[in-house]
Amino acid sequence: MNTLDKLTILADAAKFDASCASSGSNRKAKPGALGNAAASGICHSWSADGRCISLLKILLSNDCRLDCVYCMSRRSNHCARATFTPDEVADLTINFYRRNYIEGLFLSSAVYASPEQTMSDMVDVCHQLRTKYAFNGYIHLKVIPGAPQELVAKAGMLADRLSVNIELPSAASLKELAPQKSRQGILTPMRQIGEAASNYGAERKKSRRTPKFCPAGQSTQMIIGASAESDLHILTLSQSLYTKMQLRRVYYSAYIAVNSAPNLPMPSTAPPLVREHRLYQADWLIRFYQFQAEEILQATAPNLDERLDPKAAWALRHFDLFPLDINRASYEELLRVPGLGLTSARRIIATRRVAAIREEDLKKLGLVMKRARYFLSINGKKLVAAIPSHQDLLTAMCRLEKPAISHLSPQYRQLRLF
Ligand code: SF4
């Protein structure tokens, strides 16, 4: 099998990993036009400073020894198999990089040999890139659970970002759908990476000569909808991963039914993309808006309302706390107003230091009031004199959602991936 055949198989197999969104396109060369585009393996991701970068996103191998029920590459599936050598991946990356196709590499792998051997080959790719080719670009490397600590430590010195996939939201689901994996086997390298990153970070504060360990932090991916856990369970887990494991990002991946099994959703089930979208919004509230998972959801209603964004849903449930006076509310309170983001809240606080905000100032401040006007007052005067009933307000807020995800617009249906 030549390298292009392997690339076709292993780039396609990598598309199920959501921790780096794939957006390749196919365009044939045309006479008189410059260049062409191939979907194989090139995807876009975002660097720590917010830049969009192109990555070569591939698996080292899809020839897995394990048999996770939900996975396309599982041992019992009959699909085209391929395995790169470390030399091939390093060579491919450098050639793509020199041609300016990519700015970095996203490398994951099925467990085609022992976890130790698989991880060792992945580390070898990074080592070749950094030493033999002096490659200074971005590398995101998956860590194989069960790999020895020394290899994880070495990976952290070579890659910009590491990720260990938590796969499923509970140990029970993992046992049912991926019985050869264990929650402990996943959490151990995650903990090791978190601790090493903090230790190296602390040392670098004392001496700039201390090398960087995994400078873009670690992330993980969780499959949503393959098992029965509630959104509250998922968000509580993410919250604890952020605080206890120092994760930079949790990626939610709507389950795509590629296999059929009695303990999986029906193959005809559409991926729960709206749910995935709402989980990302709720996750954003936890990371940047000082919300706790148990504020966003409670045990009595443990799933996100798919009709509207989680902050609006929270505000409607706590409508007795509103309206907030724009000239008196604290920064933390402003962050809870639907429609006000971090920038708007900061701008309000900065402006108030100079002079009280008047109604005619709102536009000049660039505040988008479509949602916020129901939840704010200025010097005791409500921005909307007659607040609609709870049901009418819910309807109004749902209408403000993007049409493709609003259930109140029956002409729209959930988008399908394929
Ligand atoms: S270990 Fe990874 S590649 Fe192998 S079957 Fe499980 S999820 Fe798929």
Side-chain angles (χ1 to χ4, degrees):
M1 191 180 284
N2 66 30
T3 308
L4 188 59
D5 292 336
K6 288 186 183 178
L7 180 63
T8 307
I9 294 169
L10 293 169
D12 188 59
K15 74 185 175 203
F16 296 104
D17 202 309
S19 44
C20 164
S22 186
S23 58
S25 65
N26 257 323
R27 203 166 42 253
K28 291 200 165 39
K30 281 198 287 192
L34 181 68
N36 59 356
S40 294
I42 314 280
C43 76
H44 292 147
S45 188
W46 278 264
S47 65
D49 60 3
R51 281 175 309 119
C52 180
I53 52 175
S54 305
L55 300 179
L56 172 62
K57 179 179 175 182
I58 48 172
L59 301 187
L60 185 62
S61 171
N62 70 339
D63 194 5
C64 200
R65 301 193 330 173
L66 310 191
D67 207 33
C68 306
V69 178
Y70 49 84
C71 178
M72 188 68 192
S73 302
R74 65 179 179 172
R75 190 187 59 214
S76 55
N77 272 7
H78 297 289
C79 60
R81 305 278 181 182
T83 301
F84 277 127
T85 63
D87 295 16
E88 281 173 327
V89 177
D91 187 58
L92 203 56
T93 307
I94 287 303
N95 276 303
F96 276 17
Y97 187 75
R98 287 190 181 134
R99 288 181 171 85
N100 215 13
Y101 296 168
I102 57 161
E103 291 162 84
L105 171 69
F106 173 98
L107 184 63
S108 183
S109 184
V111 190
Y112 60 93
S114 64
E116 180 173 2
Q117 186 58 52
T118 308
M119 192 71 218
S120 169
D121 288 346
M122 293 170 80
V123 169
D124 186 13
V125 174
C126 295
H127 189 256
Q128 287 196 41
L129 286 171
R130 295 294 193 217
T131 53
K132 182 171 160 193
Y133 297 104
F135 177 68
N136 204 28
Y138 180 86
I139 300 177
H140 179 161
L141 200 66
K142 285 276 164 193
V143 171
I144 306 293
Q149 287 198 354
E150 311 81 76
L151 283 173
V152 178
K154 203 169 169 191
M157 303 309 292
L158 295 165
D160 295 277
R161 169 164 283 191
L162 296 178
S163 50
V164 193
N165 282 354
I166 195 146
E167 305 287 10
L168 293 158
S170 71
S173 301
L174 201 64
K175 196 169 173 198
E176 185 174 353
L177 298 178
Q180 291 147 306
K181 292 181 177 173
S182 74
R183 178 55 75 94
Q184 208 43 45
I186 293 167
L187 294 182
T188 301
M190 229 181 228
R191 193 171 294 113
Q192 184 195 343
I193 296 165
E195 284 171 5
S198 327
N199 293 343
Y200 274 92
E203 284 304 310
R204 266 183 71 77
K205 285 190 186 140
K206 294 182 207 154
S207 162
R208 302 308 288 173
R209 290 187 177 181
T210 307
K212 288 181 180 170
F213 182 92
C214 187
Q218 67 164 322
S219 60
T220 192
Q221 169 176 284
M222 207 186 302
I223 300 168
I224 303 306
S227 49
E229 290 82 4
S230 67
D231 293 340
L232 175 58
H233 179 101
I234 290 166
L235 290 173
T236 307
L237 172 61
S238 299
Q239 185 171 277
S240 100
L241 291 174
Y242 287 129
T243 50
K244 295 190 185 144
M245 301 280 185
Q246 291 87 37
L247 256 77
R248 195 71 62 87
R249 228 19 238 281
V250 176
Y251 289 90
Y252 305 97
S253 173
Y255 172 66
I256 300 168
V258 289
N259 298 327
S260 78
N263 47 2
L264 281 179
M266 297 287 286
S268 55
T269 313
L273 297 179
V274 178
R275 185 180 179 200
E276 177 194 277
H277 174 70
R278 294 302 180 207
L279 281 166
Y280 274 116
Q281 289 180 317
D283 183 278
W284 192 262
L285 294 181
I286 291 171
R287 287 189 298 139
F288 299 110
Y289 284 74
Q290 305 175 16
F291 275 83
Q292 298 290 311
E294 51 278 13
E295 286 181 283
I296 298 170
L297 292 165
Q298 296 88 41
T300 47
N303 289 309
L304 294 165
D305 186 338
E306 291 192 357
R307 295 170 300 172
L308 75 171
D309 84 78
K311 187 157 87 162
W314 178 87
L316 285 174
R317 281 203 312 276
H318 297 88
F319 202 63
D320 53 312
L321 301 176
F322 297 98
L324 293 173
D325 196 298
I326 201 164
N327 282 309
R328 294 200 188 87
S330 66
Y331 175 70
E332 292 73 22
E333 286 173 324
L334 289 171
L335 285 182
R336 302 210 161 205
V337 175
L340 290 189
L342 300 167
T343 309
S344 300
R346 276 192 216 115
R347 207 172 282 159
I348 290 168
I349 298 288
T351 307
R352 280 183 350 198
R353 288 200 191 105
V354 183
I357 295 170
R358 300 162 303 166
E359 199 165 344
E360 54 268 37
D361 297 328
L362 298 175
K363 206 167 177 187
K364 281 187 250 161
L365 283 170
L367 305 180
V368 180
M369 301 303 292
K370 279 188 295 188
R371 291 179 178 79
R373 65 199 175 107
Y374 296 110
F375 301 90
L376 287 173
S377 63
I378 295 192
N379 301 325
K381 185 181 161 215
K382 289 177 186 169
L383 289 180
V384 175
I387 298 284
S389 69
H390 188 273
Q391 185 56 43
D392 288 348
L393 190 50
L394 172 66
T395 306
M397 299 298 275
C398 288
R399 286 218 178 97
L400 289 169
E401 291 292 321
K402 289 197 179 83
I405 54 170
S406 170
H407 285 193
L408 293 185
S409 307
Q411 70 269 37
Y412 294 105
R413 283 182 297 113
Q414 180 171 304
L415 295 170
R416 295 177 67 88
L417 262 186
F418 304 106

